[in-house]
Amino acid sequence: MKIAVTGAKGLLGWHASARIHAEICGDQFHGRTPKFELVQIDREAFRDTDTLAEMLQGSDAILHFAGVNRGEEEFVERANPKIAEQLVQGCQQAKINPHIVYANSTHSRNDSFYGRSKRIAKETLSDFASRFTDIVYPHIFGECAIPYYNNVTATLIDKIWKNEEAELNPDGRVQLLHAGKAAQLAIDSIVDIKTGTIEPEGRDISVIDLYDRLKSFHRDYSTNIFPDVSDPFDLALFNSYRTASFPHHYPNMLKVNEDHRGMLFEAAKGGNQPQSFLSTTKPGKRRGDHFHLDLVERFLVVKGDAIIRIRRVLCDEVHEFRVSGNEPTAIDMPPLHTHAIENQTDEDVTTFFWSHHLFDPVNPDTFADPV
């Protein structure tokens, strides 16, 4: 199944692309023919119908996340219907009749300029597609969301990492849905051929409570304590918070207590069902080259010297961290970032690993992808 994702560099588009990519990586690792083919379409493709049609060629389904949600009122009101019209024209030129999943908004129910824009775009797409799914999303949050861009969670997280106080509406409330869950819902709509309107519920929370929860994460994490993330919402929120620290707040140098007997330091503490283990890596060898969807995982070299590399999935930039057992340094892996540790010395490297839950071989949440 060939799936095209529009707005592939946006929050929902990237999360959906990453999850489709994970399925492809999983199939390739097990020697199976991938069930999906992914095509990522960004806003540049909409500048030219020929280019768009070429990229859409042969697509069985389209996850339509491309859109405009900020700017001058008149511009926003015209933009989303125009993008929908361009997508229809691209499909017609490519001679395809794909299943279209549209990322709609709860604002489409009101008569604001943005609401009208989303509603008209939906009508354009539903009139064209013989299989159409309208997903009416609440407020989306997640890893790698852009702060100060209509995303209250990302904005509050950024304020916290910058040690700035946020000005809040004491009566404000939001319905929050994690981008990963929202993206999976769209993918499942295609796989299961679900059409019509879908209205997922978010977690209802006051802005004050949201801010307090994020600050609580920060207080714990700043003192090397992992919070209890047994609630999937808390896990998603904590992962969004800690991913925002990458790479500018890396690495995490641990406090070392040292005297004539040697050294002592705390490797990891907290969490609800932690799993710890040690590994050795021989000279010239590497471990990892995989990513996770939501695992909280810590790497800590306790003996020897190594280099840890991390790359955001479906992106090219690689960040490197040189670590040593002589200077205990924690590297916490952000979700949806492929990573590897390599021994570039002549002696074995010993690494301590910690994760927030026990490994489940049925659902390993591990996807092979070379850094």
Side-chain angles (χ1 to χ4, degrees):
M1 180 184 291
K2 184 175 182 178
I3 303 176
V5 178
T6 71
K9 293 182 179 179
L11 179 60
L12 263 177
W14 177 67
H15 273 264
S17 297
R19 285 173 174 261
I20 295 169
H21 178 64
E23 291 282 352
I24 294 171
C25 290
D27 285 337
Q28 291 175 334
F29 179 78
H30 291 288
R32 300 187 296 255
T33 299
K35 64 177 69 70
F36 297 133
E37 178 183 350
L38 171 65
V39 178
Q40 294 180 278
I41 299 177
D42 60 21
R43 66 176 62 187
E44 294 300 319
F46 283 86
R47 298 182 186 277
D48 178 71
T49 303
D50 291 340
T51 300
L52 181 60
E54 184 177 353
M55 296 185 73
L56 290 171
Q57 193 74 42
S59 295
D60 301 290
I62 299 172
L63 301 181
H64 184 46
F65 299 129
V68 175
N69 58 15
R70 63 182 297 171
E72 294 294 329
E73 291 187 9
E74 186 177 348
F75 168 73
V76 174
E77 187 156 0
R78 293 197 313 265
N80 290 303
K82 182 180 179 180
I83 292 171
E85 292 168 2
Q86 291 172 315
L87 183 62
V88 169
Q89 291 169 4
C91 289
Q92 291 172 332
Q93 187 165 320
K95 298 181 180 179
I96 60 173
N97 184 20
H99 182 169
I100 296 180
V101 177
Y102 178 54
N104 208 340
S105 165
T106 53
H107 292 282
S108 63
R109 298 173 181 143
N110 61 47
D111 200 36
S112 66
F113 65 94
Y114 177 63
R116 290 190 296 271
S117 179
K118 294 293 288 184
R119 188 166 58 250
I120 295 170
K122 184 207 84 169
E123 292 167 355
T124 298
L125 294 170
S126 62
D127 287 345
F128 164 73
S130 59
R131 289 167 295 158
F132 181 75
T133 308
D134 178 37
I135 306 183
V136 184
Y137 287 118
H139 191 87
I140 303 296
F141 75 98
E143 297 86 344
C144 299
I146 300 174
Y148 314 104
Y149 191 80
N150 292 347
N151 195 297
V152 63
T153 308
T155 300
L156 294 178
I157 289 172
D158 189 70
K159 289 283 189 183
I160 289 170
W161 277 111
K162 290 179 178 177
N163 293 316
E164 299 176 355
E165 284 298 319
E167 296 183 7
L168 306 177
N169 175 2
D171 300 320
R173 300 194 69 85
V174 284
Q175 296 277 338
L176 293 180
L177 184 68
H178 182 240
K181 187 174 182 179
Q184 193 62 53
L185 184 63
I187 296 167
D188 291 344
S189 297
I190 290 172
V191 174
D192 300 331
I193 317 178
K194 294 180 180 178
T195 58
T197 301
I198 299 174
E199 300 184 40
E201 290 187 9
R203 174 70 66 90
D204 182 76
I205 188 171
S206 73
V207 176
I208 297 292
D209 287 344
L210 172 62
Y211 189 43
D212 287 344
R213 190 169 304 199
L214 291 168
K215 288 196 295 184
S216 175
F217 289 160
H218 191 63
R219 283 192 299 270
D220 287 346
Y221 196 56
S222 297
T223 57
N224 201 33
I225 298 174
F226 289 94
D228 181 355
V229 290
S230 53
D231 182 339
F233 175 77
D234 284 337
L235 174 60
L237 197 62
F238 177 62
N239 276 337
S240 301
Y241 152 77
R242 70 185 185 89
T243 300
S245 72
F246 180 80
H248 304 296
H249 296 275
Y250 275 56
N252 179 12
M253 305 297 294
L254 299 182
K255 180 183 177 182
V256 176
N257 298 297
E258 192 168 7
D259 60 20
H260 65 279
R261 298 168 297 178
M263 68 168 64
L264 181 148
F265 58 90
E266 295 178 333
K269 54 186 176 181
N272 56 311
Q273 280 190 316
Q275 175 171 315
S276 303
F277 58 96
L278 292 170
S279 78
T280 60
T281 305
K282 294 186 178 298
K285 302 299 182 180
R286 59 192 282 164
R287 293 180 176 273
D289 282 315
H290 60 233
F291 64 94
H292 314 285
L293 298 182
D294 60 17
L295 185 70
V296 182
E297 182 182 42
R298 167 165 289 187
F299 280 36
L300 176 59
V301 169
V302 295
K303 183 181 179 181
D305 300 295
I307 185 168
I308 293 175
R309 298 183 178 90
I310 305 175
R311 176 178 59 80
R312 180 177 168 180
V313 167
L314 298 173
C315 298
D316 296 326
E317 185 177 12
V318 176
H319 295 274
E320 295 186 350
F321 303 96
R322 295 188 180 276
V323 290
S324 171
N326 296 324
E327 296 180 297
T329 304
I331 302 293
D332 295 340
M333 297 304 165
L336 302 175
H337 286 65
T338 188
H339 47 269
I341 181 170
E342 182 176 347
N343 182 354
Q344 295 185 322
T345 70
D346 296 328
E347 298 179 351
D348 284 5
V349 165
T350 303
T351 308
F352 167 86
F353 297 90
W354 180 91
S355 61
H356 83 280
H357 65 64
L358 301 177
F359 178 75
D360 181 359
V362 178
N363 297 294
D365 185 19
T366 303
F367 303 93
D369 189 19
V371 175

